[in-house]
């Protein structure tokens, strides 16, 4: 019989994706969220990593990563490029130079068929990306890290067939973490390899957590609340010393990154375990966790609906719709952006999910 899924781990993915959208929405506590929210996804991927030492297993693992990560990265960026000229006409993107007056924005030019083909070739080798697909940096990094970890795991099991690979993987993770920190200080991140060096240690940390084991599922609620509160306090104590920008491979130091990531895991895990006791909340978080890729791809585009409604009600020139990632700040705008960034991708994902289920059912009957 298949081992039942851990509802708390499903909820952790859901909490993580909520935090990601919240961090992009203009939420006042984004600096706190950035301490750990993306590290959480690398750690979760490491937690679920499993591969035998056979060459066929490595090939299967790599093919699954290609289908689950590389292909969505290429297709999403290509789709945004194909829609570039349409987005310009709709003001979702803009060529108006006044947009540069807003920090973090850029002017966009029309593309030709040759541009689309050329840029798609770049997406295939993880060279660059699109503005609306900006969150896909994580998909690229996770693909590179997981493939590298799997190859190293395969080689270690071949060279040392009867020995545990945890120690050599840990040593490599430590070395790469030091390299990643140096890359961040030097501002070097070609093809995202600086992120890969830093993120490898987080992936390994997830593997280590699984090996060490999680706290008992039947722990009392007050104990979980206390653990979450302590982790929250650790993160608050770290906040004055800096934040973590894994997208640009910037963080105060290797120890800071590891402590913040570990505290973030404890905080989210204990909150997820508490949420798992509430069926409706657990189901909602699990649904968001299953829709992680659609949310990553579409939430910036979904933000445009909130900006469009704001412009309609409050007034403003059309080019302002292209403000990235959001136009409005303060008040409850972050709440509206977060709601749209979660709900619209989730709704868009449902037809695909239903169609996939029907196809699989037909294939199963064939």
């Amino acid at each position: 019989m298949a081992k039942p899924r851990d509802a708390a781990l499903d909820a952790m993915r859901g909490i993580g994706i909520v935090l990601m959208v919240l961090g992009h929405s203009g939420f006042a506590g984004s600096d706190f969220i950035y301490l750990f929210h993306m590290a959480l996804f690398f750690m979760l991927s490491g937690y679920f990593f499993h591969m035998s030492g056979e060459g066929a297993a490595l090939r299967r693992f790599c093919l699954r990563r290609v289908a689950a990560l590389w292909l969505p990265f290429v297709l999403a960026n290509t789709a945004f490029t194909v829609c570039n000229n349409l987005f310009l006409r709709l003001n979702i993107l803009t060529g108006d130079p006044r947009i540069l007056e807003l920090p973090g924005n850029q002017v966009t030019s029309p593309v030709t068929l040759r541009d689309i083909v050329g840029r798609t070739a770049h997406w295939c080798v993880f060279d660059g990306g699109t503005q609306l697909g900006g969150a896909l940096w994580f998909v690229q990094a996770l693909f590179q890290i997981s493939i590298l970890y799997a190859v190293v795991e395969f080689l270690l099991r071949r060279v040392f067939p009867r020995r545990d690979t945890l120690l050599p993987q840990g040593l490599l993770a430590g070395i790469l973490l030091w390299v990643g920190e140096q890359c961040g200080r030097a501002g070097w991140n070609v093809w995202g390899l600086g992120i890969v060096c830093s993120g490898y240690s987080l992936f390994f940390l997830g593997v280590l957590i699984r090996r060490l084991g999680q706290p008992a599922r039947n722990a009392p609620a007050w104990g979980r609340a206390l653990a979450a509160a302590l982790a929250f306090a650790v993160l608050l104590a770290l906040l004055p010393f800096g934040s973590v920008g894994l997208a640009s491979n910037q963080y105060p130091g290797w120890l800071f990154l590891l402590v913040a990531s570990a505290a973030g895991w404890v905080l989210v895990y204990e909150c997820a375990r508490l949420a798992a006791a509430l069926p409706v909340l657990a189901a909602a978080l699990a649904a968001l966790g299953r829709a992680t890729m659609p949310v990553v791809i579409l939430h910036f585009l979904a933000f445009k609906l909130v900006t469009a409604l704001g412009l309609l009600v409050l007034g403003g020139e059309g080019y302002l719709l292209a403000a990235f990632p959001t136009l409005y700040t303060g008040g409850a705008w972050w709440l509206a952006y977060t709601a749209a960034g979660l709900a619209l991708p989730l709704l868009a994902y449902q037809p695909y999910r239903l169609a996939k289920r029907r196809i699989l059912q037909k294939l199963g009957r064939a």
Side-chain angles (χ1 to χ4, degrees):
M1 295 179 62
K3 185 179 179 180
R5 292 177 64 89
D6 189 334
L9 294 172
D10 285 338
M12 287 182 76
R13 280 200 180 103
I15 293 172
I17 204 67
V18 170
L19 291 174
M20 185 203 72
V21 176
L22 192 60
H24 292 155
S25 70
F27 177 59
S30 293
D31 286 345
F32 178 85
I33 291 172
Y34 271 69
L35 285 171
F36 64 91
H37 78 302
M38 295 314 297
L40 176 69
F41 284 107
F42 289 121
M43 294 167 70
L44 276 169
S45 297
Y47 187 91
F48 288 109
F49 174 79
H50 174 75
M51 190 191 74
S52 67
E54 301 174 357
L58 177 61
R59 287 192 294 273
R60 287 194 298 270
F61 179 86
C62 292
L63 287 174
R64 288 198 300 269
R65 296 290 90 183
V66 166
L69 298 173
W70 178 84
L71 191 58
F73 179 92
V74 174
L75 291 179
N77 278 310
T78 299
F80 286 136
T81 306
V82 169
C83 294
N84 182 87
N85 294 350
L86 173 62
F87 287 160
L88 282 170
R89 288 195 290 272
L90 297 175
N91 284 321
I92 292 173
L93 301 174
T94 186
D96 193 320
R98 290 178 293 174
I99 199 69
L100 299 176
E101 297 173 7
L102 301 176
N105 280 268
Q106 64 185 43
V107 172
T108 303
S109 302
V111 298
T112 64
L113 179 59
R114 183 177 180 180
D115 292 329
I116 294 171
V117 173
R119 293 181 188 183
T120 298
H122 283 276
W123 311 151
C124 289
V125 294
F126 295 127
D127 184 15
T130 55
Q131 185 190 62
L132 290 172
L136 287 165
W137 71 266
F138 163 75
V139 175
Q140 170 185 341
L142 183 56
F143 176 83
Q144 295 168 312
I145 291 167
S146 58
I147 294 293
L148 177 59
Y149 195 97
V151 170
V152 171
E153 186 75 8
F154 172 77
L155 293 175
L156 287 173
R157 293 185 184 185
R158 282 297 181 90
V159 176
F160 308 107
R162 294 182 178 83
R163 295 190 180 182
D164 194 346
T165 61
L166 194 65
L167 180 57
Q169 281 279 26
L171 292 174
L172 177 60
I175 293 169
L176 289 179
L177 179 57
W178 179 84
V179 173
E181 181 181 355
Q182 304 312 308
C183 289
R185 291 179 177 177
W188 186 90
N189 192 37
V190 176
W191 279 302
L193 294 179
I195 301 173
V196 171
C197 290
S198 298
Y200 195 94
S201 64
L202 303 174
F203 192 96
F204 170 77
L205 197 55
V207 175
L208 181 62
I209 290 171
R210 184 182 182 98
R211 184 72 66 87
L212 295 176
Q214 296 279 45
R217 297 188 186 187
N218 58 353
W222 67 264
R224 298 201 178 281
L226 178 60
L230 291 174
F232 185 81
V234 170
L235 291 166
L236 279 182
L238 292 175
L239 191 56
F241 299 98
S243 192
V244 176
L246 284 177
S248 55
N249 193 38
Q250 296 294 317
Y251 47 90
W254 65 269
L255 184 59
F256 184 99
L257 176 64
L258 293 181
V259 172
S261 300
W265 176 278
V266 173
L267 174 62
V268 175
Y269 176 80
E270 299 300 348
C271 289
R273 184 60 70 191
L274 292 169
L278 305 172
V280 174
L281 179 58
L285 290 173
L288 286 170
R290 289 191 296 269
T292 294
M293 188 62 73
V295 174
V296 168
I297 294 172
L298 296 174
H299 74 282
F300 284 138
L301 187 58
F303 283 176
K304 300 300 181 183
L305 177 61
V306 177
T307 299
L309 291 175
L311 289 171
L312 184 64
V313 173
L314 301 176
E317 296 193 53
Y319 79 93
L320 291 172
L321 180 59
F324 182 84
T326 61
L327 175 62
Y328 300 106
T329 58
W333 283 106
W334 63 269
L335 187 58
Y337 280 118
T338 300
L342 293 171
L344 296 181
L346 189 60
L347 288 173
Y349 175 60
Q350 296 313 306
Y352 165 80
R353 185 164 172 258
L354 292 174
K356 180 180 177 181
R357 180 185 298 174
R358 289 174 182 173
I359 292 172
L360 290 176
Q361 288 173 346
K362 289 181 179 179
L363 291 175
R365 289 195 299 265

